Amino acid sequence: MYLERGKYMIQINEVYGVETDSEMNYMLMKKYTKKNGEEDWKTQGYYPTFEKLMMDLCRKEIMGTGFKDLQTVEKKFAELKKLIKDLKVNL
């Protein structure tokens, strides 16, 4: 967990993080590089529960494989399963 622009963010992996705007929403954040070379985060979506956020993250990651073949999708699914298992967050 780290402080970003005055808010707490939990970094899920190298690309994605989670923060909250209040007690109402979880926000999926994605890292990007600005034109000046600095890294920052953009909101990718708002979710009522952490579970729904993680479901959408899994969908985005699996869709990002391009469905090249079943092995690629299975590999991504295994990575996500491990990520979720290893994620130790008390929200």
Side-chain angles (χ1 to χ4, degrees):
M1 185 168 18
Y2 62 92
L3 196 60
E4 177 72 23
R5 293 185 313 256
K7 301 175 186 176
Y8 284 104
M9 180 185 294
I10 299 167
Q11 192 162 349
I12 295 173
N13 61 19
E14 302 83 32
V15 179
Y16 289 103
V18 177
E19 66 180 41
T20 61
D21 61 355
S22 66
E23 294 182 19
M24 302 293 287
N25 291 302
Y26 293 94
M27 301 175 337
L28 179 63
M29 307 298 288
K30 186 173 183 180
K31 189 184 288 188
Y32 76 101
T33 304
K34 295 179 180 182
K35 290 181 182 179
N36 65 6
E38 292 180 22
E39 290 185 340
D40 201 0
W41 297 85
K42 282 187 180 180
T43 304
Q44 298 295 297
Y46 294 86
Y47 306 88
T49 66
F50 186 72
E51 181 181 3
K52 290 190 185 290
L53 180 144
M54 290 303 293
M55 288 173 54
D56 195 41
L57 173 61
C58 290
R59 182 191 63 78
K60 289 175 184 293
E61 288 284 300
I62 290 171
M63 295 295 285
T65 67
F67 291 97
K68 297 175 187 162
D69 54 49
L70 185 57
Q71 290 172 329
T72 303
V73 173
E74 286 177 336
K75 181 180 176 185
K76 179 54 76 175
F77 183 76
E79 289 173 13
L80 291 167
K81 188 175 176 182
K82 182 178 180 340
L83 173 76
I84 291 168
K85 182 181 176 187
D86 293 346
L87 191 63
K88 294 179 172 89
V89 180
N90 294 321
L91 297 176

